[in-house]
Amino acid sequence: MALHLRGTLLPDGTARDLWILGDRIAFDRPSIEADTVADGGFLLPGLVDVHTHPGSPSEGEPAFDPDAFADQIAAHRDAGTTALRFPGLLGEIPEGLRAAPDVPRMITAGRWLAWAGLSKNADFHTVTDDLVAAAVAETKAHDGWCKLMGDWDFEADPVPYDILRAVTDAVHAVGGRVAAHCQSAQGVLNAARAGVDSIEHGMGMPEECVGLMAAQGAAYVPTLTPFARRAPQIIDTPRGRLWHEGHRIMIRRVREAHDAGVTVLAGTDSAPFGNVATEVEHLVAAGLPADVAVGPASWAARDFLGLPGLVEGGLADVTVYDADPRVEPGVLRHPRRIILRGRVVR
């Protein structure tokens, strides 16, 4: 049996009917019987969190916990998040789970990759002397992405530009893309100059990086949610003041990046899982208009990741809301209906 939905499609704002046949969207009434599962409201391409790291235990040393992974991606799903990008996982996705019909679509970049000359104060990083070969291998082994540590802290030297450029060129040569963790000003600048495909965090980002990202088609994933949560805990020390200034710079760069044509995307980075609505609210607070800020967690993110939205033949991921999230972003916390892979999960 097909599924039938009627409502206002976003982002274009047209009111129309759509049908779901298997895992695809159609706009012509099918010849088979259809069950109406939504009549009215606002139909959004399923939410996306482009920076999340499920699988981490709530306590103890960092290690991949398959049970925690399953619970945490279920929390994403139950919040209406139907696609996830993992820019770094502590382990491999449990066999069979990825293709399960009731779990979000997954795009993984494999392991964190850290240059051997980088600070080694985080044991879960994969430290390697041959960063280029490791990045190409991760790209091929996963979903066309690799995750690179462009720096780690404000005191350690970042990865040199020539190494970042060699990695980026090699990954692009095999059709892949590079996500770069960057916090220090020089780390972000090196990554932007090297032509990485997404800059994660961007704390302390120099203003010139905005133009570089715009020219190269790179995305900015600020992950404001965990930084905002930590801000009250950062004490007033020289290092703390540096941290707070970096946080303020991130917030400014969000609006500047958008105004320059950079694709800004929503990622939550850490627990609680299924919390991308909070990231949208932080993007609004950073200066994005509400009607723009929803896109980074939905249609803009899907477009960047190659996941078709509410178009003929698009993937059958739909969330339905009683109010327009472009006007009331808070409604993203309360989906009336969630359809994932063509199946009603709520």
Side-chain angles (χ1 to χ4, degrees):
M1 178 180 290
L3 300 179
H4 168 240
L5 299 90
R6 178 184 297 115
T8 301
L9 275 58
L10 300 181
D12 62 8
T14 59
R16 63 183 305 181
D17 296 79
L18 67 79
W19 287 265
I20 292 177
L21 306 172
D23 191 19
R24 289 293 183 268
I25 288 171
F27 291 107
D28 292 330
R29 183 189 297 271
S31 58
I32 61 175
E33 184 179 356
D35 179 19
T36 297
V37 295
D39 189 355
F42 293 83
L43 280 55
L44 188 71
L47 295 177
V48 183
D49 191 328
V50 302
H51 189 125
T52 181
H53 304 293
S56 301
S58 57
E59 299 179 354
E61 293 297 318
F64 189 75
D65 182 336
D67 293 333
F69 180 87
D71 290 343
Q72 291 159 2
I73 63 169
H76 276 299
R77 177 203 63 211
D78 293 346
T81 309
T82 60
L84 306 167
R85 185 186 64 151
F86 309 137
L89 280 182
L90 296 175
E92 294 296 326
I93 298 172
E95 185 176 357
L97 184 61
R98 183 176 185 136
D102 61 344
V103 303
R105 303 177 197 274
M106 305 179 197
I107 296 174
T108 179
R111 305 168 296 169
W112 283 266
L113 296 176
W115 171 56
L118 199 63
S119 171
K120 299 182 180 67
N121 64 343
D123 293 339
F124 57 83
H125 297 161
T126 301
V127 177
T128 176
D129 289 307
D130 193 344
L131 200 59
V132 173
V136 170
E138 290 300 290
T139 300
K140 290 181 175 180
H142 294 90
D143 296 301
W145 281 90
C146 68
K147 170 64 177 291
L148 182 66
M149 306 302 295
D151 56 22
W152 178 243
D153 53 38
F154 292 116
E155 296 172 347
D157 291 334
V159 180
Y161 164 76
D162 59 344
I163 294 178
L164 286 177
R165 186 57 188 256
V167 169
T168 303
D169 287 348
V171 170
H172 287 174
V174 298
R177 295 199 277 181
V178 179
H181 166 110
C182 303
Q183 292 187 191
S184 68
Q186 191 61 49
V188 183
L189 181 58
N190 286 353
R193 290 178 57 218
V196 302
D197 300 279
S198 68
I199 288 181
E200 316 293 314
H201 317 305
M203 202 178 200
M205 180 189 295
E207 187 175 356
E208 65 185 285
C209 293
V210 172
L212 290 169
M213 287 190 292
Q216 295 164 169
Y220 182 31
V221 188
T223 64
L224 296 174
T225 298
F227 285 91
R229 186 168 59 247
R230 285 191 62 201
Q233 305 166 9
I234 304 298
I235 60 176
D236 186 17
T237 64
R239 183 176 173 85
R241 287 191 288 274
L242 188 63
W243 191 98
H244 281 292
E245 177 58 20
H247 183 212
R248 287 190 289 269
I249 289 172
M250 291 169 65
I251 294 170
R252 289 203 301 272
R253 296 292 180 256
V254 165
R255 181 57 190 254
E256 293 169 358
H258 166 70
D259 289 347
V262 175
T263 298
V264 177
L265 299 177
T268 59
D269 190 32
S270 58
F273 297 88
N275 194 35
V276 77
T278 297
E279 185 68 11
V280 171
E281 292 168 353
H282 283 298
L283 293 176
V284 173
L288 292 194
D291 61 336
V292 170
V294 178
S298 179
W299 57 85
R302 298 183 77 88
D303 184 61
F304 184 75
L305 296 175
L307 303 173
L310 303 184
V311 297
E312 183 70 34
L315 297 173
D317 301 333
V318 188
T319 47
V320 183
Y321 300 93
D322 290 324
D324 188 344
R326 299 172 302 173
V327 179
E328 302 178 34
V331 77
L332 292 175
R333 300 179 181 279
H334 307 290
R336 184 211 308 168
R337 180 75 74 197
I338 301 170
I339 297 173
L340 168 62
R341 302 176 188 258
R343 297 161 55 97
V344 176
V345 297
R346 175 186 295 178

